[in-house]
Amino acid sequence: MGFTDIRYDLYGLPSGNPYSGRPLDPLASEADRALLLELEGFIGLAAIERAVERAVSEQRPAFFLITGVGNSGRTSLANHIMYLYRRAAAARLTGYAFVTHCADRRDMTHDAYGLLRSTLLWLRNRMVSHNVDIPANLHALFVELSRRARGEPMNEYDLQQIAEYAAVAMKAHDTGFGIRYEGVSTKDLLTLGTMVFENIATVVVFTVDAYAHAGTVQLTETDRQEFARRGQVFDLDTLTPRQIAALAHGRWNGCPPAPFEPQGVQRAFEGETYTVGEALRHLATLLDIRLSEYDEDTPWPNDDLRIHEEWLRLKIWQARKWNGLGGFRG
């Protein structure tokens, strides 16, 4: 076959390369739930699930702050938290409906009031689309909120009252909501957001870029401790070689066993740091290269399709030579 013809069927892979990187969203696809892995302690999934379950059972807000550099899995973890919240709430109420709002990086500004105003007006629209009756007092507050933009902002306690009235009305219709703020650029959003929703049974997830940049918020240890008084803080670091090996095996969904040798992966990936997104791109590329070099029709498992340590070291060394000292981070 031609070197560009990638025959994933030889590995018994049902839907192409299992290491293709993308944000996971179990709310949209249940199959994504199994793809978020503990990875030898990289993510404390059990602790997160306990925190969500506790918040739902106590009918209080579940606040989460997730920090990490680009491609560290922040969005996937945020989506997983929203999924866990919906599942926990639905288990306690038959016919439960859950709506989600995501303010992504394109929406992020330093105007915390504007972002909260937009969120509450989104909530109004979702109430209408889900046939939730908006009482007269709440309707009047929504009208006032729509009128009063940044130049004449409403008081934060008025915003809190709007959120509480809306939550009560939605609860009467067996409906809940969750919010994700992606790439927070001002500390004020953390402060105002937790205040506005502090008396509501909901889930709010903030993700923050963990590097110095004009467009990112710089959190101090005091900021983190202050948030931890109300919610949970999780930091997503780079992966260790052992965690990359766990990723290679955990994501494998073809004919067993996974072709990557665990010890070989660990030794081949020593010496540089990789986020989960970078590690996935490496693994995806290495799998494609291995298949492109194979000219037989005998399917895996066989020794020619095994991805052993010597081969891994050679390909990673070649990539670094081609792309300079920075490696092939894509």
Side-chain angles (χ1 to χ4, degrees):
M1 69 177 179
F3 64 86
T4 58
D5 299 323
I6 308 298
R7 290 189 55 189
Y8 295 112
D9 61 292
L10 292 172
Y11 276 119
L13 294 166
S15 54
N17 198 314
Y19 305 110
S20 297
R22 59 176 176 80
L24 304 177
D25 187 3
L27 283 174
S29 173
E30 179 71 23
D32 277 6
R33 178 191 170 195
L35 297 179
L36 192 74
L37 306 170
E38 188 88 24
L39 298 182
E40 302 285 340
F42 174 64
I43 302 176
L45 294 180
I48 292 171
E49 188 164 356
R50 285 194 300 270
V52 169
E53 291 278 355
R54 188 165 55 249
V56 171
S57 66
E58 296 173 2
Q59 298 188 46
R60 60 175 176 79
F63 294 127
F64 288 87
L65 171 61
I66 305 170
T67 74
V69 298
N71 296 304
S72 60
R74 294 163 303 185
T75 300
S76 294
L77 182 56
N79 288 339
H80 185 73
I81 290 170
M82 305 282 267
Y83 166 83
L84 290 175
Y85 187 90
R86 183 188 68 178
R87 187 183 68 178
R92 290 167 170 78
L93 188 61
T94 303
Y96 177 78
F98 184 68
V99 296
T100 60
H101 174 62
C102 174
D104 64 23
R105 295 176 182 278
R106 294 169 297 180
D107 304 314
M108 280 299 114
T109 68
H110 286 79
D111 180 12
Y113 169 78
L115 290 166
L116 265 297
R117 174 177 176 269
S118 177
T119 298
L120 293 173
L121 292 175
W122 163 86
L123 191 57
R124 176 201 61 186
N125 292 350
R126 295 292 75 73
M127 293 174 71
V128 172
S129 64
H130 281 73
N131 298 312
V132 174
D133 298 325
I134 300 178
N137 58 347
L138 178 57
H139 177 74
L141 286 169
F142 274 136
V143 170
E144 185 71 3
L145 179 65
S146 181
R147 184 185 70 80
R148 295 174 62 172
R150 185 177 184 180
E152 191 184 2
M154 293 180 71
N155 184 275
E156 56 265 33
Y157 289 103
D158 292 329
L159 300 181
Q160 186 183 78
Q161 186 177 52
I162 292 173
E164 292 174 8
Y165 283 173
V168 169
M170 295 178 75
K171 184 178 180 180
H173 288 74
D174 298 338
T175 302
F177 64 93
I179 303 161
R180 188 185 87 214
Y181 293 108
E182 185 80 14
V184 171
S185 58
T186 173
K187 297 178 187 180
D188 291 342
L189 182 60
L190 302 179
T191 303
L192 186 59
T194 51
M195 178 183 179
V196 168
F197 299 108
E198 68 180 352
N199 301 319
I200 298 172
T202 188
V203 56
V204 185
V205 184
F206 305 89
T207 75
V208 173
D209 296 335
Y211 48 79
H213 186 275
T216 65
V217 60
Q218 305 300 308
L219 298 179
T220 66
E221 187 58 33
T222 300
D223 296 326
R224 293 163 57 85
Q225 292 175 1
E226 178 63 25
F227 189 94
R229 292 176 57 247
R230 299 188 178 190
Q232 307 291 317
V233 180
F234 289 92
D235 302 306
L236 298 182
D237 205 344
T238 53
L239 298 180
T240 66
R242 184 182 177 88
Q243 290 167 340
I244 295 175
L247 180 63
H249 280 250
R251 276 294 190 96
W252 184 255
N253 62 352
C255 182
F260 289 94
E261 296 177 345
Q263 293 299 320
V265 172
Q266 290 186 48
R267 286 190 282 262
F269 279 88
E270 288 176 349
E272 285 199 31
T273 58
Y274 305 89
T275 65
V276 65
E278 292 167 345
L280 282 170
R281 282 197 292 270
H282 278 67
L283 293 170
T285 300
L286 289 163
L287 184 71
D288 284 350
I289 292 173
R290 192 72 192 90
L291 280 169
S292 72
E293 295 178 346
Y294 186 66
D295 294 324
E296 306 297 330
D297 293 320
T298 304
W300 170 256
N302 68 69
D303 197 57
D304 288 334
L305 282 176
R306 189 179 306 279
I307 303 178
H308 48 78
E309 180 182 346
E310 291 77 10
W311 185 89
L312 281 172
R313 285 181 174 277
L314 173 63
K315 296 306 174 184
I316 292 176
W317 176 82
Q318 288 174 335
R320 288 171 180 163
K321 294 295 284 185
W322 275 107
N323 294 281
L325 296 177
F328 63 118
R329 293 187 180 269

